[in-house]
Amino acid sequence: FEKDGRTFTGCSIEAMAATLEGLGVNAIGINCSLGPKEIMPLAKRLSEATDIPTFFKPNAGLPDPATREYDISAEEFAETMKEYVALGPMFLGGCCGTDPDFIRGLRKIADESGAVSCGEKKERTARICSATKVVEFDHTVVCGERLNPTGKKRLKQALLDGDMNYVLKQAIAQDEQGAEMLDINVGVPGIDEAEVLPKVIKAVQTVTNLPLQIDSSNAEAVEAALRVYNGKAIINSVNGEKASMEKILPLAKKYGACVIGLTLDEDGIPESTEKRIEVAEKILDEAERIGLPREDVIIDCLTLTASAQQAGVRQTLDAIRTVKERFGNKTTLGVSNISFGLPSRPLVNKTFLVMALECGLDMPIIDPGNDEMMAAVATFEMLVGRDKNAVRYIEKYADYQVGRTSTAQTAGSSDDKTEADKGSVFYTIEKGLEEETAAATKELLKEHDELEIVNDYLIPALDKIGKGFETGKIFLPQMIQAATAAQAGFEVIKDSMRASGGKQISLGKVVIATVKGDVHDIGKNIVKVIMENYGFEMIDLGKDVPPETVVEAVRKHDAQIVGLSALMTTTLPSMEETIRQVKAERPEVKILAGGAVLTEDYAAKIGADYYCKDAMKAVEAAKDAIGAA
């Protein structure tokens, strides 16, 4: 879906609901080219994910591509729609294939079941999301701090050099170490934040599904980042100054984001607890005035350094407790600030973290690579009963050895280190790391020949990603990023074979096109990218392609496979005619057909050799076709 120039793709239902909730929509409608039975699982998940009023408008079943007729009657439609009434929608309706008899049937079941209402409104709490992951603030949420260049020379240099690979490694490492969201800050002298911040946001979203915190005092940079962020982000931050509230709060409202409210204003950080509470209340009142839900403001009571302002430690803790008691809002702190200028900083950080959690801290911003800090969070969650039956604690620490060395940097150090060696090509492809995949492939060339690497490493790694996609464990953006990383490995193989005079690797030539009369090419483009990175040579003819053009391309390139796509039922005759002409010219060529309106039976009926419902099925079909050729 699209909102304010942002396009969201590959979203989970839960993430979509959280994002729309943040944007302040009044209702959510499901209107798609599927019947009531097919969209019922979707409808149930949406109803569970949000209390925003919903309306459901399915087709009259599924269309037959040959007859263009739909497969259920008005009576069957009404009977199936009875189940929807229990979900408490605002509206029910009918889409393609329905007629007045269908709508009369809906009217009858609505009258018989009583008023169709939205049900009771649930208590709303802060939550954020990426395109595919929702994080509820019903437990301690760890925000990873290592993508903030303050005190990190290596990250500063990477941002100045445009070394996105280093940035992505840090994001992946924090994800694996247990962070539930990541702080993104590019505030380095000499950098154009409005240009660099959205680039980093887009890049990080390709390798992790964690929600992101957009950390900048530059309102222009914040908005540029929000426009490319898929989901409901957190803005870090707004404070009690009038100018800050006028710039930042409207952005949070416009883009449906949460925002961190710093308890400082024109007079600086208040010395007393009550003054900090007054600033917090001022921010909350202004947020509510412009229509931003109060619960979407997360209060930062500010961590002062114990070495210089020892009395301020207790004020911070008291302020957290008061915010929770008086307003009920979620709270956050940059924990490691407490230990600046003191020896053995990790000891101070850990103790202060536990004290703050007991006072009501919800979102500590810490280094997830610090084992002791993460252990403190996990132990706290177990002891206060949020980790029921200590399930997560036992799972993580059953084999834990007290006193072991942390696998990553300790808080407050001046540089970054990632976990142990992650050089496996399977790992680098899964994480979408292009440079690392190229490096891992070069290492493999020291002991394996080119074809062995392709068949035993690169292709199996992509197959693993494909299985994750088919089972819903990963989503389209991650699959494309993994395929792009694999392409870096293929390029190394090609260079090696070129240097040695060997035959270039190509699994086969594929002509791909959207058929005549159809201008939809998103699905076709995705198939092209994935197949290309499996080693197929793709000849892309674009969209609205006449049959004769496809035939000519097959002849010119001596292609073994043709891939055809159609989204509209009206263009299926064009697909059939294209298949007829290709088979007449080159009967041995295998035809792959796909598109939203196509069915397996209809694909076979019009002469296609394979029906491909998605990109991974296209790859499987193409590999089978090459083997059969």
Side-chain angles (χ1 to χ4, degrees), residues 3-47:
K3 171 74 175 178
D4 289 329
R6 295 185 298 160
T7 300
F8 298 77
T9 59
C11 292
S12 72
I13 295 300
E14 293 75 14
M16 181 187 75
T19 304
L20 292 175
E21 197 173 81
L23 290 168
V25 300
N26 296 317
I28 301 176
I30 297 182
N31 174 17
C32 64
S33 55
L34 294 173
K37 294 178 182 178
E38 287 74 24
I39 69 170
M40 174 52 73
L42 181 77
K44 285 182 176 178
R45 284 178 60 193
L46 181 59
S47 296

Side-chain angles (χ1 to χ4, degrees), residues 447-520:
E447 299 181 7
H448 305 274
D449 65 39
E450 290 89 347
L451 287 174
E452 186 181 356
I453 294 170
V454 170
N455 294 326
D456 295 345
Y457 292 89
L458 299 180
I459 296 298
L462 281 172
D463 286 341
K464 180 182 176 183
I465 295 298
K467 288 177 182 176
F469 174 73
E470 290 182 344
T471 57
K473 293 180 179 178
I474 69 168
F475 290 81
L476 186 60
Q478 287 79 25
M479 183 172 71
I480 292 176
Q481 185 69 14
T484 303
Q487 182 63 27
F490 277 110
E491 290 301 321
V492 170
I493 296 298
K494 291 176 183 178
D495 290 344
S496 176
M497 298 191 79
R498 208 176 283 122
S500 63
K503 183 180 178 182
Q504 294 299 300
I505 291 179
S506 172
L507 294 186
K509 295 181 179 179
V510 181
V511 170
I512 189 168
T514 301
V515 299
K516 178 67 178 175
D518 205 319
V519 295
H520 301 88

Side-chain angles (χ1 to χ4, degrees), residues 522-566:
I522 293 177
K524 183 264 297 177
N525 292 341
I526 292 170
V527 170
K528 175 194 172 186
V529 169
I530 301 301
M531 291 188 66
E532 212 163 39
N533 290 289
Y534 263 85
F536 289 96
E537 185 178 342
M538 305 299 292
I539 299 100
D540 185 4
L541 303 182
K543 56 192 176 185
D544 192 19
V545 180
E548 297 78 15
T549 303
V550 177
V551 173
E552 176 58 30
V554 170
R555 185 186 304 120
K556 177 181 177 181
H557 297 281
D558 193 26
Q560 301 102 311
I561 299 172
V562 169
L564 299 175
S565 174

Side-chain angles (χ1 to χ4, degrees), residues 29-40 42 56-65 68-72 77 84 93-98 520 566-569 595-599 611:
I30 297 182
N31 174 17
C32 64
S33 55
L34 294 173
K37 294 178 182 178
E38 287 74 24
I39 69 170
M40 174 52 73
L42 181 77
F56 304 114
K57 206 177 127 185
N59 275 6
L62 298 175
D64 184 323
R68 314 272 179 90
E69 294 180 356
Y70 292 81
D71 63 0
I72 65 174
F77 183 81
Y84 283 77
C95 195
C96 298
T98 61
H520 301 88
L567 186 70
M568 303 182 296
T569 54
V597 297
L598 205 61
T599 64
Y611 165 67

